[in-house]
Amino acid sequence: MTSLQKDILELRKKKALVQMGGGEAAIEKQEAMGKLTARNRILALLDENSFQEYDLFVEHAARGFGMEKKVLPGDGVITGTGTIFGAPVCIYAQDFTVAGGSLGLMHARKITKIMDHALKMKVPIIGINDSGGARIQEGVGALAGYGEIFYRNTIASGVIPQISVILGPCAGGAVYSPALTDFVFVVENISKMFITGPNVIKTVLGEEISMEDLGGARVHAEITGNAHFYAKSEQECFEQIKKLVTFIPWNNKQRAKAFPPKEPIFEKTVNDIIPSDPKQPYDVRDIIKSIVDDSDFFEIQELWAANIVIGFGRIHGETIGFVANQPMVMAGVLDCDSSDKAARFIRYCDSFNIPIITLEDMPGYLPGVDQEHAGVIRHGAKVLYAYSEATVPKITIILRKAYGGGYIAMNSRHLGADFVFAWPSAEIAVMGPEGAANIIFRKEIMEAEDQDAMRQEKVKEYIEKFANPYVAASKGYIDAVIEPRETRAILMHALILAKSKEESRPEKKHGIPPF
């Protein structure tokens, strides 16, 4: 055996030892909790044989509290590069079998190194979080590591896609890295995110709550809005990530990959979806499915703020971002949460060159003391800001109701929409016919012998005069009133026309959005 052959055998032994992470017992414990190991997660997500690992032999440099005697393989995190459907990505996965995946300084530096690599190479970064938090024995070194990760999350924002996958605990300061990224994925009974855990809450406030009820997957997908995708298993989560990657570009200098165009396959036609009674709800996702290629709509934050629908679809093979009021939930009104949801998605699409189609059917902003005190003015202004700031192609279809401030907020001509179309069923007015009639014709109604009959007559008069698309069209605020069956063809035409759109903004460091 030559010297080189001996060296190769020694390398293989060292690699095999480090790749075992915390050892067989720790791996068995991880699998007993229904969790894959960090390495198997990476291999399950990436294309077969595409993973190239870096910094395998990095070791912690901690001294004190007995740390100098401890060997932590890979310092509890695996980093490298690979591909998903051939698209290159950078990736890291915290290894809970090694010191609970705790973050020390070298652990953090492995992460920041692969983040720097992703930013330099202009490819997406995927982080799989499964960690007990900061490594207490390393003190301020661990805190410094978190700070350096947060800084890079911020610098990379809007330049490369950043994806966080919560597959275990993610507590304390660690939660701020996922919060700074573009998309957060959680899995039922596995993901846990919170600033302070149940024990601290019990000690400080005397309240008892389980980890699941405090910061489980369902909580963040449905109540807080911190998670964008919810899955029942790790494998389902990986399939969601793979699908997302097909819709988004590698970086902000490119467009998303185009696919071969396909006709919608949804069984209902656009004409069949909206009820004749304007007060009856319907599922706006059916409208989207009747428009997009292969009727394939990839919804984001499905469980949170469901009165607005956001997600990706394709028209003629090109990725499109959809923002749509959902009449099935709260009549599709805008409130604090739905405003945040829409505004953030609009800004994401604008950052990554994804055209935005807005489907409008809503009676305005949600009234009430709770909303006013929760800051609906500030939250609602985020939608105005996001649409006004965006320079990607912006197209609006007014399906039915477009009342008051809601009409303006949902990508109206006045906020810089490139095209605004309306169906004949569109109602564009300052407020709904009933409320408007009660104000405008109050005196006539009060003096009438049959007030109900007079009210109905005035409501009808208001509808005929204002609750239609033609007054707005006569002023040029609507580009065309179209038949529903024409929608897909007109959208394709508008998107082709707007593909080479150029629009500048005044030079500035950055704006001051209503956070």
Side-chain angles (χ1 to χ4, degrees):
M1 183 181 292
T2 66
S3 176
L4 178 59
Q5 288 174 324
K6 289 180 181 179
D7 289 343
I8 291 171
L9 286 175
E10 182 65 19
L11 169 64
R12 289 175 180 173
K13 288 179 183 178
K14 287 180 177 292
K15 286 177 68 174
L17 186 63
V18 177
Q19 287 173 352
M20 281 297 292
E24 289 184 5
I27 290 172
E28 288 175 4
K29 186 176 180 181
Q30 174 89 345
E31 292 173 343
M33 291 188 287
K35 298 161 64 177
L36 295 174
T37 63
R39 191 170 301 279
N40 285 340
R41 285 167 171 167
I42 291 174
L43 297 178
L45 178 57
L46 299 182
D47 295 338
E48 190 173 358
N49 298 323
S50 73
F51 180 54
Q52 175 60 55
E53 185 170 357
Y54 305 126
D55 291 332
L56 176 65
F57 298 116
V58 164
E59 298 178 359
H60 73 86
R63 296 293 178 265
F65 303 104
M67 287 298 293
E68 64 276 5
K69 300 176 183 177
K70 291 187 178 181
V71 176
L72 304 180
D75 203 23
V77 65
I78 300 166
T79 64
T81 56
T83 61
I84 297 178
F85 296 131
V89 298
C90 290
I91 191 167
Y92 67 86
Q94 294 177 311
D95 188 349
F96 197 78
T97 70
V98 178
S102 58
L103 183 140
L105 185 58
M106 294 307 295
H107 177 121
R109 284 184 175 166
K110 284 182 69 172
I111 293 175
T112 56
K113 181 177 176 180
I114 199 67
M115 292 176 77
D116 289 342
H117 193 67
L119 190 58
K120 187 188 300 181
M121 303 303 169
K122 296 293 187 292
V123 299
I125 178 78
I126 300 173
I128 300 177
N129 296 264
D130 186 4
S131 169
R135 192 173 297 154
I136 298 171
Q137 297 92 327
E138 294 200 29
V140 72
L143 299 180
Y146 277 127
E148 291 178 9
I149 292 170
F150 303 158
Y151 177 78
R152 284 164 174 80
N153 286 138
T154 305
I155 298 303
S157 181
V159 181
I160 57 173
Q162 299 184 80
I163 296 170
S164 294
V165 195
I166 314 301
L167 295 180
C170 182
V175 298
Y176 287 116
S177 178
L180 289 167
T181 61
D182 301 316
F183 300 104
V184 178
F185 291 76
V186 293
V187 176
E188 185 179 88
N189 298 324
I190 290 178
S191 308
K192 305 287 187 293
M193 280 198 298
F194 38 73
I195 296 294
T196 53
N199 292 336
V200 175
I201 289 175
K202 183 177 180 181
T203 301
V204 176
L205 301 175
E207 299 175 0
E208 291 196 21
I209 190 169
S210 68
M211 288 178 67
E212 189 66 30
D213 291 337
L214 178 63
R218 192 85 189 185
V219 169
H220 290 299
E222 189 172 337
I223 298 173
T224 69
N226 289 328
H228 300 83
F229 296 95
Y230 174 87
K232 295 291 185 69
S233 67
E234 292 195 21
Q235 191 55 49
E236 182 187 352
C237 175
F238 298 148
E239 293 304 317
Q240 291 174 340
I241 297 169
K242 290 177 183 180
K243 186 165 185 177
L244 173 65
V245 169
T246 69
F247 280 104
I248 59 178
W250 295 358
N251 57 61
N252 65 347
K253 298 296 184 183
Q254 297 182 350
R255 293 178 182 270
K257 178 185 175 184
F259 279 66
K262 293 182 179 180
E263 288 296 310
I265 60 172
F266 190 61
E267 61 273 12
K268 294 181 182 178
T269 64
V270 170
N271 290 21
D272 298 329
I273 297 169
I274 294 191
S276 56
D277 182 351
K279 294 182 180 178
Q280 288 296 312
Y282 61 92
D283 192 340
V284 77
R285 291 172 295 192
D286 289 344
I287 300 287
I288 299 172
K289 290 174 185 176
S290 71
I291 294 171
V292 297
D293 290 9
D294 207 31
S295 298
D296 183 17
F297 176 56
F298 190 50
E299 188 170 356
I300 298 168
Q301 291 184 301
E302 179 182 355
L303 301 176
W304 181 63
N307 43 319
I308 204 154
V309 171
I310 61 172
F312 296 121
R314 292 187 182 91
I315 292 182
H316 203 60
E318 301 284 347
T319 294
I320 307 296
F322 283 87
V323 179
N325 304 118
Q326 176 57 289
M328 284 186 68
V329 181
M330 299 164 60
V333 295
L334 280 174
D335 60 0
C336 293
D337 285 346
S338 62
S339 296
D340 286 358
K341 177 178 171 179
R344 190 178 187 277
F345 182 68
I346 292 162
R347 299 194 81 191
Y348 180 85
C349 290
D350 188 48
S351 293
F352 290 98
N353 311 306
I354 298 171
I356 301 165
I357 290 177
T358 302
L359 301 179
E360 182 172 2
D361 184 355
M362 51 95 79
Y365 283 91
L366 181 64
V369 174
D370 289 346
Q371 283 293 302
E372 296 292 349
H373 288 183
V376 70
I377 296 171
R378 172 170 46 86
H379 290 275
K382 296 177 186 180
V383 180
L384 305 173
Y385 191 100
Y387 272 127
S388 300
E389 181 187 46
T391 59
V392 292
K394 299 177 291 186
I395 304 169
T396 297
I397 307 280
I398 301 176
L399 307 176
R400 203 165 59 171
K401 297 182 182 72
Y403 294 158
Y407 156 69
I408 301 169
M410 293 300 291
N411 193 38
S412 62
R413 167 70 61 193
H414 325 293
L415 298 186
D418 298 300
F419 298 99
V420 180
F421 304 111
W423 287 2
S425 53
E427 302 174 8
I428 304 167
V430 174
M431 63 173 61
E434 287 82 3
N438 284 334
I439 294 171
I440 297 172
F441 306 110
R442 182 176 180 274
K443 185 176 180 182
E444 291 95 321
I445 293 171
M446 293 295 292
E447 292 175 352
E449 290 185 13
D450 188 340
Q451 293 186 1
D452 288 339
M454 178 62 75
R455 183 178 292 106
Q456 291 306 313
E457 181 183 328
K458 294 302 182 183
V459 167
K460 184 179 178 182
E461 181 181 336
Y462 184 86
I463 290 173
E464 290 173 353
K465 191 167 186 179
F466 292 109
N468 60 69
Y470 302 107
V471 174
S474 72
K475 299 180 183 299
Y477 301 149
I478 305 291
D479 294 302
V481 181
I482 64 172
E483 294 183 32
R485 64 181 178 83
E486 300 175 310
T487 303
R488 177 175 161 86
I490 285 173
L491 286 173
M492 279 198 294
H493 177 81
L495 288 165
I496 290 169
L497 191 64
K499 195 167 186 178
S500 56
K501 173 188 173 183
E502 290 185 3
E503 186 175 344
S504 62
R505 291 287 186 268
E507 185 177 346
K508 56 185 174 182
K509 188 173 181 181
H510 54 71
I512 317 296
F515 285 138

